[in-house]
Amino acid sequence: MAEDAVQNGRQRLADRVRLGLEREIVTGDLTPGTRLDETRLAERYEVSRTPVREALMQLAASGLIEMRPRQGALVAAIGTFQLAEMFEVMSELEALCARLAARRMTPAERDDLAALHEACAPYLASGDADAYYELNLRFHEAIYAGSHNAFLEQETRKIRLRVSPYRRMQLHRPGRLADSHAEHGRVVAAILAGDQELAGRLLKDHVAIQSGTFVDFLATVGGLPDRRPGSARPGRAHPGSARPDQPPKTRHRTG
Amino acid sequence: MAEDAVQNGRQRLADRVRLGLEREIVTGDLTPGTRLDETRLAERYEVSRTPVREALMQLAASGLIEMRPRQGALVAAIGTFQLAEMFEVMSELEALCARLAARRMTPAERDDLAALHEACAPYLASGDADAYYELNLRFHEAIYAGSHNAFLEQETRKIRLRVSPYRRMQLHRPGRLADSHAEHGRVVAAILAGDQELAGRLLKDHVAIQSGTFVDFLATVGGLPDRRPGSARPGRAHPGSARPDQPPKTRHRTG
DNA sequence: CCAGGCCGCCTTGTATACAAGAACGGCGAT
DNA sequence: ATCGCCGTTCTTGTATACAAGGCGGCCTGG
């Protein structure tokens, strides 16, 4: 996915390190919880610690890693509750994208979206989850772009990037691919028809379903520690219970 | 000059610089477009360039400043279209907060919210816009917290922080304070009544109205350049038109 | 007089050296 | 033998030195 940045030898070292780490985290080469030692990273990327630190801070800002003062950086390990929280927001943002796309997409964009959806079908049949994953990503991004709101597009992408390390695990559940594709189909139809509300609702449910299967999966696998993000921000999170009292209301399929 | 952060000798220098700059930007001491020279900032804060660079990068990640490679950092100047885009997202996130708050707030939180709302009244009468601004902020944050979704709360706050340099300008419009307070009142009522949809819709409109007056204001004042954020992210934004074809659909007051 | 190119300064980007806090292991005391 | 204290060592945080690129001014040519 990053071959688009290859040709550019003129980029800052810090960016090269950041992109490299980002890729390693998203693809799962670096699993959540892994400690990131500045010196070793510097050796690995053949640069000094300065650009490494720069990259780490940017990744921390994007939420992919977590930096504890005087204790170094870890690949962010997101707890199940926090993941549920993120999906709650993401489903809403994606729904907004869909609503806006339904009313703002150009005819060309609508054609592209439909084409993208249909291009998924072969991999569905062959059960090639990784290839489907790739196209699925492009499908969702096409909807983001279709919102014609660059800020929204960026924010939504950031959140998707942030949960992607976990997303990967979940794709291989039997039957999920077909369901996902069918859900996409309904979303496409609604967008093409210009039905904002329907498109929004369908996409929201689509994301929420993934959330449900996710949380199920993580919980059964043994779950992740449910620590609060509590990053550098001094602005206190509210004191009391931070969990959603009603996790995704969409009924999700059981494992 | 930074006497507010003196007492705490135990925090990292970079954090001190970041907080200081954040404050200066949000309060308007540093206006959008101002160039931020690393060396001078280092002198001003009496630290070396290293923590300054760290702070700048974090601010860039949060969107408050913009870093152009090899050309230094500027306080982010947000164009009118981009601002409209941000409000489009913000209104949706705040609406989500309100919906969730309506169904998740504890009785104590509901009481606090109502109290906060009523505490605004005196400043309304006296026309003290700055004091009202402060309480207004706390009012909105109470709703964020009431969503019981820490991630949502954080994201919404980040966006609010990011637009706050512009927000300040808009408060002094005559009559706006009273309107704002009345809108808050309806939101509180809906939340206390547990009416999710109504609370969401009301808060969304409330934010959208501000968006409208904002964009009007900026446009008349002479407008800001409409440059694309185009930050460090290499992931290309979609190629074509990025502007909302229908700026906030809520009809906003003229003047 | 104006335009274009060249040169030098100033800024950012990177590397390295130094200081200070935290984890870990060893040693002693109970 | 186990627990706690202390020192070592490794890591991060900060400062400074060095390199490279952009911008502005100046000079020269038309």
Side-chain angles (χ1 to χ4, degrees):
Chain A
M1 68 181 76
E3 69 278 8
D4 50 0
V6 169
Q7 63 214 10
N8 196 353
R10 281 309 86 186
Q11 69 183 336
R12 291 152 64 199
L13 299 183
D15 288 346
R16 187 162 62 80
V17 175
R18 178 175 56 79
L19 290 171
L21 284 175
E22 200 169 278
R23 190 176 144 290
E24 288 186 281
I25 293 171
V26 168
T27 59
D29 293 348
L30 288 173
T31 60
T34 304
R35 188 180 173 74
L36 299 170
D37 183 89
E38 295 178 0
T39 309
R40 294 177 75 113
L41 288 176
E43 288 171 12
R44 225 153 70 63
Y45 281 90
E46 296 179 300
V47 295
S48 82
R49 271 180 57 219
T50 308
V52 169
R53 278 181 67 81
E54 195 166 321
L56 289 179
M57 283 181 316
Q58 297 194 220
L59 289 171
S62 86
L64 270 184
I65 72 174
E66 197 173 335
M67 295 188 76
R68 307 265 253 302
R70 284 281 181 197
Q71 287 176 240
L74 320 177
V75 178
I78 306 180
T80 50
F81 276 128
Q82 197 190 337
L83 202 57
E85 287 184 348
M86 292 174 66
F87 270 104
E88 192 164 60
V89 176
M90 183 156 177
S91 66
E92 205 67 35
L93 288 181
E94 293 226 15
L96 177 59
C97 288
R99 289 204 301 278
L100 295 177
R103 82 171 188 241
R104 291 181 183 166
M105 266 188 160
T106 66
E109 286 174 325
R110 290 171 204 268
D111 288 349
D112 288 350
L113 182 68
L116 212 43
H117 172 58
E118 277 159 30
C120 290
Y123 302 106
L124 184 79
S126 71
D128 185 343
D130 284 333
Y132 182 83
Y133 179 80
E134 193 58 36
L135 275 174
N136 173 65
L137 177 66
R138 286 175 56 195
F139 175 81
H140 281 267
E141 297 215 331
I143 295 177
Y144 306 163
S147 74
H148 285 222
N149 181 325
F151 178 73
L152 173 61
E153 185 188 348
Q154 251 183 238
E155 290 298 304
T156 313
R157 272 224 293 252
K158 273 202 285 197
I159 299 181
R160 177 170 282 264
L161 182 71
R162 202 158 150 187
V163 297
S164 52
Y166 298 89
R167 221 162 182 130
R168 182 158 298 276
M169 318 174 177
Q170 173 262 2
L171 282 155
H172 301 273
R173 292 191 45 257
R176 180 67 203 125
L177 252 60
D179 288 350
S180 168
H181 190 70
E183 289 155 18
H184 282 194
R186 288 191 285 275
V187 171
V188 170
I191 289 180
L192 294 188
D195 188 335
Q196 299 178 39
E197 292 315 314
L198 183 62
R201 189 149 28 90
L202 287 173
L203 191 49
K204 178 168 162 177
D205 288 349
H206 171 61
V207 175
I209 284 170
Q210 293 185 293
S211 160
T213 55
F214 247 36
V215 173
D216 281 354
F217 178 72
L218 289 178
T220 57
V221 156
L224 293 166
D226 244 312
R227 110 173 80 88
R228 195 82 76 268
S231 61
R233 289 289 138 194
R236 105 253 175 275
H238 58 269
S241 50
R243 78 203 172 288
D245 54 5
Q246 320 180 187
K249 69 166 177 254
T250 308
R251 190 142 210 84
H252 49 264
R253 298 138 171 80
T254 56
Chain B
M1 58 197 75
E3 66 285 5
D4 49 359
V6 168
Q7 61 211 11
N8 194 354
R10 282 310 87 185
Q11 70 182 333
R12 290 153 69 203
L13 300 183
D15 287 346
R16 187 163 62 79
V17 175
R18 178 174 59 80
L19 291 171
L21 285 174
E22 202 168 276
R23 188 176 145 290
E24 289 187 281
I25 292 172
V26 168
T27 60
D29 293 348
L30 289 172
T31 60
T34 304
R35 187 180 174 75
L36 299 170
D37 184 272
E38 295 177 0
T39 309
R40 295 181 69 120
L41 288 176
E43 288 171 11
R44 223 152 73 60
Y45 282 91
E46 296 177 301
V47 297
S48 81
R49 274 180 55 219
T50 309
V52 170
R53 278 181 66 82
E54 195 165 321
L56 289 179
M57 282 181 318
Q58 296 193 220
L59 289 172
S62 86
L64 270 185
I65 72 174
E66 197 174 336
M67 296 189 75
R68 309 265 253 299
R70 284 280 180 194
Q71 286 175 236
L74 318 176
V75 178
I78 306 181
T80 49
F81 277 127
Q82 198 191 336
L83 201 57
E85 287 184 348
M86 291 173 69
F87 269 104
E88 191 164 60
V89 175
M90 182 155 176
S91 66
E92 204 68 36
L93 288 181
E94 293 225 15
L96 177 58
C97 288
R99 289 204 301 277
L100 295 177
R103 82 169 188 241
R104 291 181 184 167
M105 266 188 161
T106 66
E109 286 173 325
R110 289 170 204 267
D111 289 348
D112 289 350
L113 183 68
L116 213 42
H117 171 58
E118 278 159 30
C120 291
Y123 302 106
L124 185 76
S126 71
D128 185 345
D130 284 334
Y132 182 83
Y133 179 80
E134 194 57 38
L135 275 175
N136 173 66
L137 177 65
R138 285 176 55 198
F139 176 81
H140 282 267
E141 297 215 333
I143 295 178
Y144 305 163
S147 74
H148 286 221
N149 180 326
F151 178 73
L152 173 61
E153 185 188 348
Q154 250 184 238
E155 291 297 305
T156 312
R157 272 224 294 252
K158 273 201 287 196
I159 299 181
R160 178 170 280 266
L161 181 72
R162 203 159 150 186
V163 298
S164 54
Y166 299 89
R167 223 164 181 127
R168 180 158 299 274
M169 318 176 178
Q170 174 263 359
L171 282 155
H172 302 272
R173 290 190 46 256
R176 180 67 204 124
L177 252 62
D179 288 350
S180 169
H181 190 69
E183 288 155 18
H184 282 195
R186 287 192 285 275
V187 171
V188 170
I191 289 179
L192 294 189
D195 188 335
Q196 299 177 40
E197 292 314 316
L198 182 62
R201 189 147 30 88
L202 288 172
L203 191 50
K204 178 168 162 178
D205 288 348
H206 171 62
V207 175
I209 285 171
Q210 294 186 292
S211 160
T213 56
F214 248 37
V215 172
D216 280 355
F217 178 72
L218 289 177
T220 58
V221 156
L224 293 166
D226 244 314
R227 112 172 78 87
R228 195 84 75 267
S231 63
R233 292 285 139 193
R236 104 257 176 273
H238 59 270
S241 50
R243 78 201 172 287
D245 53 5
Q246 321 180 183
K249 70 165 177 256
T250 309
R251 189 142 212 84
H252 51 263
R253 297 139 170 80
T254 58

